[in-house]
Amino acid sequence: MKTVNKIYINGKFVTPHGTEIFNLINPSNNQKIGEVTLADETDTKNAVAAAKEAFKTFSKSTVSERIKYLTRLKVAVEKRKQDFTDIMIEEYGGTHQFVTMSNQYSGAWFDSMIGVIQTYEFEKTINSSLVKMQPVGVVGIITPWNASNSSVISKVATAIAAGCTVVIKPSEMSALQTQVLMEAFHDAGLPKGIINFVTGLGNVVGTELTVNPAVSKISFTGSTAVGKLIAKTAADTMKRVTLELGGKSPNIILDDANLEEVIPTAVFGAYMNSGQACIAPTRLLVSENQIDKVNEIAKATAEKVIVGLPQNDDTNVGPMVSVKQFERVQNYIKIGLAEGATVLAGGEGKPEGLEAGNFVKPTIFTHVNNKMRIAHEEIFGPVLSIIPYKTEEEAIEIANDTPYGLAAYVSSPDVERAQKVASQIDAGRVCINGFRHDPMVPFGGFKQSGIGREYGVYGLEAYLEPKAVLQ
Ligand code: NAD
C-alpha cells in the first residue's frame, strides 16, 4: 500500500489542510494499491500565495538562469525514468510499449524549451518603441489522467522558460505519478515557490485555481466539458487560458494508398494509449469502392492486437483507467450496435481471462455513418469507426463534420495530393502518412478541441504578455 499524504508548497513537502482520502486502484485487477490525501481550497490558496511571492523574483530572472533551471529539471526527471514507467503501468494501466515511448520524451520537453528561449527575442524595437514580452504571472496547471507526466512536464517546461511560477493540480487518479514528479522537481533545487503541487479534486482545487485572482493563467488539458466550465469561470478575473481538449480525429485514406500498409497502421493508431488518447485517429475514412478490402485487412489486424496486462512487452491494449471509463466505453459499444453499425471486431464485454480488470475488447465498427453518436462523440477507448466516402470532397466534408478539430491524418503516396487535402481540414495538427511528433511545432485544437497552442514558440508566447513602451 502506498500513501501520498504530502503536497509541495514553497519548496517543502507539507501535510495538506484537506483530510479527504481518495483510494488509488490498480486498473488491471481493481485492487486497492494506495491512498492519497486530497488537498482543499486552503491548500490551494497557500500554494498560490507561494507562487505569487516567488514570481516577484523569478519574473526578473535572466534567460541563462532559466536555462540553468530547465537543465536541472531535465536531469532530475530523467533520473526517475524507471520509476515513472513502473508507476504509470501500475496506477494508470499504461502499456509498457506506450509508457516507454512517452517517457522517452520527458527530457526532450526541457530541451525544446531551452532551444526556443536561446533565440527568442523577449524584447523588440518596433519603430521607436520597445515591445517587451513579460511573463504572464502565476499559472494554474490542471491535467488529466491519460497523459499525466507528459502534460505536467511540458507545461512546467514552458512556464519556467517564460519566467512564470506554477501551481500544479494533476488528476486525483494520478497521485502516485504525481508523487514521483514532486520528488523529481524538488531534487532539481529551484528557488522555493516557483513550482508548487496541490493534489485534489477538480471541483475543489481546480475551481479555486480558476477563481483565485492571483492566478493569471490556466493551462488546462482535459475534457471539453470541463474546459468550457474553466473558460466561463476564468472570465470573471479575465485569466488567460490555454485549453487542450477532446478530439475525434479523422484518418483519411485516399484511394491511391497502399491499403495493406496503411490500414494496419490506422487500426493500431486508433488503439494508441489503449484508445485513451486525445489525438487517436478514431474515424477511419475510406473510399466506398474499397470498403470490402479495408474491412478484410482491418479485421485481420484486429485479430493481431494483443489485449493484456500492461506490464507485458507485447501488450498493445491495456485496461481502461477506471471502472467508470470501462463502463463509458461499453455504453458506446451498445450505442453503436443500437445505431446499426456493423461490428467487425470486438464488441461488448471483457476479453476472456481478463475479467478482474477494466479490459475491453478492441472494437471496430464498419459502415458507420458520420451522423451516428459513435462517430461524433469522443469515446476515449479502443473503438474505431470505419466510415465510407464517395469522393475526395466528401471525405473532407466528413472529416470536418465534427465539433472537434484537434488532429487529423491523411494517407496517400501522392504527397502533393495529401497536402492539398490536409490544407482543407480544420484541425490544429494534420499528419501526412503516419503519426508524427515534433515538440517545436504548435499543438492544439480548432473548434471545441480547445483554445490556444502549446509547444515551441507558440506555446511560449501563450505564457507571455506583450508590453509596449512608447517613447
Ligand atoms: P477531465 O476534464 O475530467 O479532468 C481533467 C482535469 O480537470 C483533472 O485534473 C480534473 O480533476 C480537473 N477538473 C475537473 N473538474 C474541474 C473543474 N470544475 N474545474 C477545474 N478543474 C477540474 O478529463 P480526464 O477525464 O481527466 O481526461 C480525459 C480528457 O482529456 C479527454 O477528453 C481527452 O481528450 C482530454 N485530453 C486532451 C488532450 C489534448 O492535448 N488536447 C490531451 C490529453 C487528454
Side-chain angles (χ1 to χ4, degrees):
M1 268 275 287
K2 292 173 177 132
T3 309
V4 180
N5 57 6
K6 293 278 190 285
I7 53 177
Y8 187 67
I9 298 180
N10 215 21
K12 288 200 182 76
F13 289 92
V14 295
T15 301
H17 174 265
T19 52
E20 197 182 328
I21 302 289
F22 181 85
N23 290 333
L24 302 168
I25 309 292
N26 180 338
S28 298
N29 54 23
N30 282 312
Q31 300 288 311
K32 182 170 166 181
I33 48 170
E35 285 183 350
V36 53
T37 307
L38 298 173
D40 63 11
E41 286 92 348
T42 304
D43 297 308
T44 315
K45 284 180 181 147
N46 292 341
V48 171
K52 188 179 170 189
E53 184 57 32
F55 183 72
K56 289 179 190 163
T57 314
F58 188 53
S59 56
K60 297 185 183 70
S61 57
T62 60
V63 166
S64 60
E65 273 175 283
R66 290 182 222 161
I67 289 176
K68 185 177 74 189
Y69 295 153
L70 289 167
T71 309
R72 283 203 222 150
L73 286 164
K74 175 190 162 171
V75 171
V77 162
E78 287 198 325
K79 258 195 204 150
R80 303 298 297 270
K81 238 178 207 173
Q82 190 58 47
D83 295 327
F84 284 131
T85 301
D86 296 344
I87 218 75
M88 280 171 82
I89 290 172
E90 190 184 9
E91 180 178 46
Y92 166 56
T95 63
H96 187 266
Q97 289 177 356
F98 171 76
V99 164
T100 314
M101 186 271 297
S102 164
N103 282 331
Q104 250 175 33
Y105 292 115
S106 311
W109 293 116
F110 297 106
D111 285 337
S112 63
M113 271 304 142
I114 291 171
V116 169
I117 60 172
Q118 269 167 343
T119 55
Y120 186 76
E121 285 183 87
F122 282 91
E123 285 188 14
K124 269 186 218 167
T125 303
I126 300 181
N127 296 328
S128 63
S129 303
L130 180 69
V131 176
K132 225 180 140 183
M133 299 300 279
Q134 267 182 213
V136 69
V138 175
V139 178
I141 291 179
I142 305 177
T143 52
W145 44 260
N146 75 314
S148 185
N149 294 344
S150 56
S151 304
V152 172
I153 291 172
S154 61
K155 288 176 196 294
V156 167
T158 318
I160 300 299
C164 295
T165 58
V166 299
V167 177
I168 306 158
K169 192 221 91 65
S171 168
E172 56 280 9
M173 283 194 280
S174 310
L176 298 177
Q177 296 163 75
T178 302
Q179 178 72 29
V180 181
L181 269 179
M182 286 197 285
E183 291 167 5
F185 287 179
H186 176 72
D187 289 347
L190 268 57
K192 64 181 186 180
I194 295 180
I195 298 179
N196 306 275
F197 277 90
V198 184
T199 57
L201 296 177
N203 59 0
V204 179
V205 176
T207 300
E208 176 56 35
L209 284 176
T210 315
V211 299
N212 194 305
V215 174
S216 303
K217 172 186 170 77
I218 297 286
S219 178
F220 171 78
T221 298
S223 63
T224 295
V226 173
K228 287 179 185 177
L229 211 65
I230 289 177
K232 283 180 196 158
T233 314
D236 281 341
T237 43
M238 213 45 91
K239 288 186 189 5
R240 281 69 185 123
V241 289
T242 299
L243 304 173
E244 293 288 351
L245 311 178
K248 192 76 191 178
S249 303
N251 186 359
I252 302 181
I253 309 298
L254 294 176
D255 58 8
D256 55 357
N258 177 347
L259 298 180
E260 299 286 353
E261 258 175 37
V262 299
I263 299 303
T265 307
V267 171
F268 276 100
Y271 298 159
M272 64 169 77
N273 199 4
S274 305
Q276 301 172 126
C278 53
I279 53 166
T282 47
R283 290 186 297 146
L284 181 59
L285 276 52
V286 301
S287 164
E288 65 175 11
N289 299 327
Q290 296 175 324
I291 191 138
D292 292 341
K293 185 77 188 155
V294 167
N295 285 345
E296 190 187 306
I297 303 170
K299 190 171 168 34
T301 308
E303 280 157 13
K304 291 191 196 119
V305 173
I306 298 176
V307 189
L309 294 175
Q311 59 269 33
N312 297 344
D313 287 353
D314 59 353
T315 293
N316 306 120
V317 174
M320 302 295 91
V321 72
S322 61
V323 171
K324 187 173 159 212
Q325 192 62 23
F326 167 81
E327 283 167 356
R328 177 187 167 90
V329 176
Q330 293 300 308
N331 189 41
Y332 272 108
I333 295 174
K334 280 195 187 80
I335 290 170
L337 292 168
E339 286 178 315
T342 309
V343 180
L344 197 62
E348 284 182 82
K350 290 186 180 181
E352 221 180 291
L354 293 167
E355 290 79 4
N358 307 322
F359 295 90
V360 303
K361 294 179 189 162
T363 297
I364 303 177
F365 284 112
T366 191
H367 297 290
V368 173
N369 178 320
N370 199 53
K371 297 283 176 239
M372 291 177 182
R373 284 183 64 193
I374 53 164
H376 237 67
E377 297 175 17
E378 187 183 48
I379 299 174
F380 226 54
V383 181
L384 172 66
S385 291
I386 302 180
I387 306 173
Y389 65 79
K390 287 191 176 59
T391 60
E392 194 174 296
E393 291 69 36
E394 196 191 29
I396 295 164
E397 210 175 288
I398 295 171
N400 288 334
D401 180 18
T402 165
Y404 296 109
L406 188 61
Y409 306 85
V410 184
S411 291
S412 167
D414 181 347
V415 174
E416 229 172 274
R417 185 180 172 204
Q419 282 168 344
K420 213 170 129 213
V421 171
S423 71
Q424 296 171 78
I425 295 177
D426 301 331
R429 189 169 269 209
V430 189
C431 294
I432 293 176
N433 291 329
F435 306 108
R436 294 165 207 286
H437 171 76
D438 185 340
M440 294 303 252
V441 304
F443 178 72
F446 279 39
K447 301 190 272 183
Q448 295 191 31
S449 285
I451 294 179
R453 293 293 181 270
E454 296 196 291
Y455 307 173
V457 173
Y458 293 86
L460 178 75
E461 288 191 334
Y463 288 74
L464 297 171
E465 196 78 89
K467 183 203 275 174
V469 181
L470 286 80
Q471 48 208 5

